[in-house]
Amino acid sequence: MHTKKMLALDTSTATMAAALLEGTSIINTIQSSEERNHSIRLNPTMQAMLTEQGWTGSQVDCIAVGIGPGSYTGVRISVTAAKTLAWAWRKPVVGVSSLHALALSGLAAAAQGEKMSAIVMENTDTNDSEFSFACQAPVRVYPIMDARRGQVYTAAFDINGQSKHVITGRLSIQEACTRLSADGIRMLVDIAAEAVQALENDPELHVMFAGDVDQHRAELEELQAVFGPRVHLESSAMDAAWIGVLGLARLLAGDTDEVHRLEPNYTQLTEAETKLKQQQQQVK
């Protein structure tokens, strides 16, 4: 069976992330924190990665892209790039949740750094490109992207620790990581209150906040003061390899997007759209 070659992109956060995967093996992954240069750096970065690997556009089987939510301008950059390449190369494109990939990026970072007792590395070789890890206890992950004014883009995911599912590039990732809520924008205090209730209801549960943790560290450390190591703060950057993993799952399931209809998930109206809607309502 032909092993799928994937190009994965995401610019929804301050990190410009790109990756190449062959099947579930990570060939190369790049992270750049120069946010204002996403539009300038993305294309040459992708081309350099492909050239270094000796891949051409015709050899890429699919393009996976994070469709947000996140930075309004940032999400548009990678989605537009992915659609352009898919059209030019006549290849399928799949959009995946940037928050879902950020949650997995945080879990992987915690496992690699051995920072969280509930997560254990499964690979004996730390250089293994097919990275995997298992959760020894139930873990709830809140990926967060700062949305200003006390708000964050977020969702909630449960990792089933009781059956020790391995989070890996295989399709079982969809079963191991259960989505509890849709991607959206919420007040951080509401997320914290939700986490407190979950921790109180389940004494075995661990909660991780991943992503833009530093901007909200003071509030989140209050949870740590109460629940100790059961609350983990992982200040982690987006790793596009997980965009590719999620995209591969969709591709192998025969679930791809029509290139001209793929749109970013902004989750909220822009300021200009909000003002226009208010003006239209006043006219009525």
Side-chain angles (χ1 to χ4, degrees), residues 11-277:
T11 54
S12 63
T13 72
T15 299
M16 182 194 72
L20 298 179
L21 293 87
E22 190 163 4
T24 57
S25 295
I26 302 167
I27 304 302
N28 193 8
T29 182
I30 289 178
Q31 297 167 302
S32 171
S33 59
E34 300 179 37
E35 182 177 12
R36 295 183 181 179
N37 290 327
H38 284 359
S39 60
I40 299 173
R41 292 173 55 84
L42 181 59
N43 188 60
T45 296
M46 291 187 299
Q47 293 301 326
M49 292 176 70
L50 292 167
T51 300
E52 181 180 348
Q53 193 58 32
W55 291 6
T56 64
S58 62
Q59 292 174 308
V60 174
D61 293 297
C62 182
I63 299 150
V65 61
I67 60 171
S71 163
Y72 179 80
T73 301
V75 172
R76 291 171 59 191
I77 291 169
S78 54
V79 171
T80 299
K83 291 171 66 173
T84 300
L85 293 176
W87 179 83
W89 295 343
R90 298 183 180 181
K91 300 293 182 177
V93 61
V94 290
V96 302
S97 163
S98 296
L99 284 170
H100 195 165
L102 186 61
L104 293 169
S105 298
L107 282 164
Q112 287 174 313
E114 298 182 347
K115 303 173 187 176
M116 191 174 177
S117 61
I119 302 176
V120 177
M121 283 281 293
E122 288 290 305
N123 298 89
T124 55
D125 180 1
T126 56
N127 293 318
D128 193 332
S129 59
E130 193 172 274
F131 178 74
S132 62
F133 53 90
C135 295
Q136 294 186 313
V139 178
R140 179 163 301 175
V141 186
Y142 290 100
I144 57 175
M145 301 178 189
D146 184 54
R148 296 181 294 182
R149 301 173 185 172
Q151 300 176 112
V152 292
Y153 297 104
T154 192
F157 299 89
D158 264 3
I159 311 301
N160 185 349
Q162 299 304 315
S163 58
K164 292 190 66 174
H165 283 300
V166 176
I167 310 301
T168 179
R170 302 176 185 85
L171 290 181
S172 59
I173 189 172
Q174 303 291 3
E175 299 172 355
C177 190
T178 303
R179 178 183 284 275
L180 299 180
S181 61
D183 294 351
I185 185 168
R186 296 181 62 185
M187 297 298 296
L188 182 68
V189 293
D190 294 336
I191 296 297
E194 181 180 297
V196 167
Q197 183 175 10
L199 288 161
E200 290 177 341
N201 290 342
D202 184 353
E204 299 297 321
L205 181 68
H206 291 246
V207 170
M208 171 188 285
F209 293 89
D212 290 342
V213 166
D214 288 340
Q215 292 93 317
H216 305 277
R217 186 169 292 275
E219 300 95 316
L220 295 175
E221 284 181 344
E222 293 180 5
L223 292 181
Q224 280 188 319
V226 177
F227 295 99
R230 291 176 61 203
V231 174
H232 182 78
L233 309 183
E234 185 64 37
S235 180
S236 54
M238 177 71 75
D239 186 344
W242 294 104
I243 296 287
V245 166
L246 294 169
L248 178 63
R250 285 196 59 194
L251 177 68
L252 295 182
D255 181 21
T256 61
D257 292 296
E258 203 285 313
V259 64
H260 297 297
R261 294 184 180 180
L262 178 64
E263 295 293 337
N265 175 21
Y266 297 122
T267 74
Q268 65 173 348
L269 297 175
T270 65
E271 185 176 354
E273 290 172 325
T274 300
K275 290 181 178 178
L276 177 60
K277 187 175 181 179

Side-chain angles (χ1 to χ4, degrees), residues 273-284:
E273 290 172 325
T274 300
K275 290 181 178 178
L276 177 60
K277 187 175 181 179
Q278 290 174 343
Q279 291 173 352
Q280 292 173 336
Q281 290 175 340
Q282 290 173 355
V283 171
K284 293 179 181 180

